[in-house]
Amino acid sequence: MLMNMTTFDVSLHCGFNGVDGATTSTDDSNSAHTLTFVGNAQLDTAQQKFGGSSLLLDGTGDIVTCAASTDWDFGSSPFTIEMFARFNTITSTSRSVLGSSGSNAASFVMGINAGLSNFQFAFSSNGGSSFNEIITSSGVTAATGQWYHLCVDRDGSNKIRLYIDGVMRGSLTTANAINYESTALAIGATDGTGSSDMDGWLDEVRITKGVARYASDSGFTVPTAAYPRS
C-alpha cells in the first residue's frame, strides 16, 4: 500500500542530481537541510537510478552529513526511511547506507551486516553504545552491480518492517523507542565520523517522519520514478 503524502511529511529528500564530480547538492524536503560532502563524496553521472546522477562514495571516508535535527528523532512513532543503493564492493566488514549515533550512545543504522551480506536495520532502545534491537533480512543477500530499493518503516501498531525491493524481509514488533542523539545524520555511514562507510552509489534518499508509507507484510510496488517533489 502506497500512501500519498504531502511534502510536509518529508524530513529529508536527497535526489543527488547535478553535474559530474559536484560536491554540493540539496535537500528537496521542506526542511531544506544543509548537506555537507566529506572526503571524496561527489555526484556521479555514470550511475543513477533516476535523473542524471547519484551520490558516489568510495568506502574510505566519503560521507554526506546533515546537522543534528529532531527530524530523525523517531521515538516510538511511525516513520519511513527509504533509498536506492548500488554497491561497488561488499567485504567482511559492515557497510552502512544511513545512520545517526553519538560518541557515547547509539541511535539507528541501516546497511549490510559484517560478513554475511544480509541487510539490516538496527537501533538502540536503551541509550547504550551498541545497537540492541536488530532486524536482519532473510531470503536475500546483497550483491554488487545492481540497484536495490532499501526501506524500513514503523507503523502505529509498533511493527517495524525491513523491505528489500518491495518485499518484507524481516520485522520486529516492539513498544521500545529509538534512542535519539543530537548529532549529525550520516548518509553513507553509521555516523558523522564515517564509521562502516559505504562503497557504492545512493539515490533518492528519503526520510518521512510520522508516517509508515507502506506498512504491509505483503510488501509494495517499488517506485518506478523519482519521488514527487510536491
Side-chain angles (χ1 to χ4, degrees), residues 128-148:
S129 59
S130 61
F131 301 106
N132 63 301
E133 310 251 14
I134 301 173
I135 305 171
T136 301
S137 67
S138 62
V140 62
T141 56
T144 59
Q146 65 184 88
W147 283 100
Y148 293 95

Side-chain angles (χ1 to χ4, degrees), residues 126-214:
N126 58 14
S129 59
S130 61
F131 301 106
N132 63 301
E133 310 251 14
I134 301 173
I135 305 171
T136 301
S137 67
S138 62
V140 62
T141 56
T144 59
Q146 65 184 88
W147 283 100
Y148 293 95
H149 184 259
L150 310 181
C151 179
V152 61
D153 67 10
R154 180 178 192 155
D155 67 18
S157 69
N158 282 320
K159 187 164 187 176
I160 305 173
R161 297 173 176 86
L162 175 64
Y163 311 89
I164 312 300
D165 290 336
V167 179
M168 189 183 78
R169 295 293 187 175
S171 67
L172 170 70
T173 300
T174 176
N176 293 337
I178 297 176
N179 181 57
Y180 171 67
E181 294 295 308
S182 183
T183 189
L185 179 77
I187 301 172
T190 302
D191 53 44
T193 68
S195 174
S196 301
D197 47 348
M198 179 192 178
D199 179 13
W201 297 263
L202 295 173
D203 207 353
E204 288 294 295
V205 177
R206 183 170 69 171
I207 296 176
T208 308
K209 183 179 179 181
V211 173
R213 285 184 174 268
Y214 306 108

Side-chain angles (χ1 to χ4, degrees), residues 71-91:
D71 277 347
W72 28 92
D73 178 9
F74 303 127
S76 56
S77 298
F79 69 90
T80 307
I81 300 171
E82 57 190 321
M83 70 196 69
F84 289 89
R86 181 185 177 100
F87 299 92
N88 184 49
T89 61
I90 296 173
T91 63

